[in-house]
Amino acid sequence: MKTEQILLAITINECGSITKAAQKLFMAQPNASNAVQSLEKELGYSIFERTPNGIRTTPKGEKFLQYAYSIQRNLNNISLLKDEKERVRLF
């Protein structure tokens, strides 16, 4: 599982469509679809149910997304560390 796949799943959930998420992330739609299918295969369950009107999150997908949003927050916090000023203690 790659962080890119997790962030893609979050974006798909927010956009309600793999196509719209792919556009937002500047990806080709087939690549986004393949990445999600690969993630779902690795997990052993579907995150999204595909419908003619877009996607719908499965019950296990809802739980997955709770963890995914937590991962996203932690990744953002890790990135913010570079902006913190380091204090040097002299003994």
Side-chain angles (χ1 to χ4, degrees), residues 1-18 21-22 25 27 31-33 35-40 43 45-48 50 55-58 60-69 71-72:
M1 179 180 333
K2 298 178 182 178
T3 55
E4 293 85 3
Q5 291 171 307
I6 295 169
L7 298 176
L8 172 60
I10 289 170
T11 306
I12 291 169
N13 182 60
E14 292 172 351
C15 291
S17 151
I18 294 174
L25 296 172
M27 297 177 71
N31 293 344
S33 185
V36 172
Q37 287 176 349
S38 176
L39 175 60
E40 290 174 327
L43 293 171
Y45 57 86
S46 295
I47 301 169
F48 302 108
R50 281 81 171 157
I55 56 99
R56 187 175 20 222
T57 309
T58 66
K60 283 190 179 181
E62 290 287 340
K63 290 180 182 179
F64 169 85
L65 286 167
Q66 288 175 0
Y67 289 112
Y69 279 105
I71 290 167
Q72 181 185 42

Side-chain angles (χ1 to χ4, degrees), residues 11-12 15-26 29 53:
T11 306
I12 291 169
C15 291
S17 151
I18 294 174
T19 301
K20 289 178 185 175
Q23 290 171 346
K24 184 174 182 177
L25 296 172
F26 305 102
Q29 187 277 335
N53 297 327

Side-chain angles (χ1 to χ4, degrees), residues 86-91:
E86 293 183 40
R87 293 184 181 166
V88 178
R89 298 180 90 186
L90 301 174
F91 294 97

